[in-house]
Amino acid sequence: MNKLKAIFLIFILFIACEKSETKYDCDEQVRVTVFIYENCPISRDMCGPLRGAYRYFCDTIGQDIIFRGFSPNVLSTDSTLANFKIKYDIPFDLQLDFDPESNQPGAQTQFYGPTVTPEVFVELNGRIVYRGMIDNSYQAIGQWSSPTENYLATILTQIVNEEDISYFETEAVGCLINY
């Protein structure tokens, strides 16, 4: 029941956001990169807020925001990611980002340096402006509560509304990425 409340709260948050008639500059690019692992319960729980952000910002208000997901896990395969994408209705690409031959994380994981899944990075014109939690429904492993802050929606709203953006981060809570 608590998960339903969280989904409802996130839905209300998205409805409450002011729709902007102006988009960010055409020369600007916004990218959301999330590191996710299909066997991590917190990653599974964050699929709703991720899906909601994509559908609101890309589909509802028509922003040209690139969403992409990577799994930096030796146990993930193209097949398990494809099944995860279907099961959790992920509306953006998910790719494996682990090299089993060298037993090393892939290029995206090495570049961003996430520590847990899920962890999200938001970039504006190639500059990271936010790193951390999708929302604050998890303050620690196993401690779920209805979110009071949706960090991903907040930063994307600031970008869409052409507000001044200052880098900020939160400490993501999730399943450890073993490098």
Side-chain angles (χ1 to χ4, degrees):
M1 190 63 153
N2 283 336
K3 286 184 184 179
L4 248 106
K5 288 179 185 177
I7 292 169
F8 179 73
L9 277 171
I10 291 166
F11 178 72
I12 294 299
L13 169 73
F14 288 128
I15 290 174
C17 289
E18 290 182 16
K19 290 187 179 183
S20 173
E21 293 300 319
T22 59
K23 293 183 180 182
Y24 47 86
D25 250 349
C26 292
D27 295 336
E28 295 181 336
Q29 181 184 41
V30 180
R31 182 168 41 208
V32 174
T33 301
V34 63
F35 290 87
I36 201 159
Y37 173 45
E38 66 272 24
N39 291 326
C40 176
I42 298 173
S43 287
R44 292 191 300 254
D45 287 348
M46 290 297 106
C47 288
L50 283 168
R51 184 176 49 249
Y54 179 91
R55 292 204 171 123
Y56 176 74
F57 288 98
C58 297
D59 296 342
T60 302
I61 64 172
Q63 298 297 305
D64 188 21
I65 299 172
I66 299 165
F67 277 74
R68 61 196 190 147
F70 295 99
S71 179
N73 192 291
V74 67
L75 299 176
S76 296
T77 66
D78 290 334
S79 177
T80 62
L81 287 174
N83 290 336
F84 181 76
K85 181 177 174 166
I86 292 167
K87 181 176 181 176
Y88 290 93
D89 192 24
I90 308 289
F92 51 86
D93 287 337
L94 294 178
Q95 298 176 19
L96 184 60
D97 195 47
F98 189 87
D99 181 7
E101 288 182 22
S102 67
N103 203 32
Q104 294 294 315
Q108 299 299 323
T109 304
Q110 290 181 34
F111 176 78
Y112 289 97
T115 57
V116 298
T117 60
E119 187 167 356
V120 68
F121 296 78
V122 178
E123 295 170 85
L124 178 60
N125 294 327
R127 181 177 57 96
I128 296 174
V129 293
Y130 174 70
R131 173 188 184 160
M133 297 180 192
I134 296 159
D135 69 25
N136 69 343
S137 57
Y138 282 92
Q139 294 300 309
I141 299 289
Q143 294 183 2
W144 185 91
S145 62
S146 294
T148 58
E149 297 281 340
N150 187 319
Y151 302 110
L152 179 57
T154 297
I155 190 68
L156 292 177
T157 298
Q158 290 172 346
I159 291 169
V160 167
N161 290 335
E162 299 178 350
E163 297 174 20
D164 288 334
I165 307 295
S166 296
Y167 174 83
F168 75 103
E169 66 181 62
T170 57
E171 187 175 339
V173 175
C175 300
L176 288 175
I177 298 172
N178 296 317
Y179 290 102

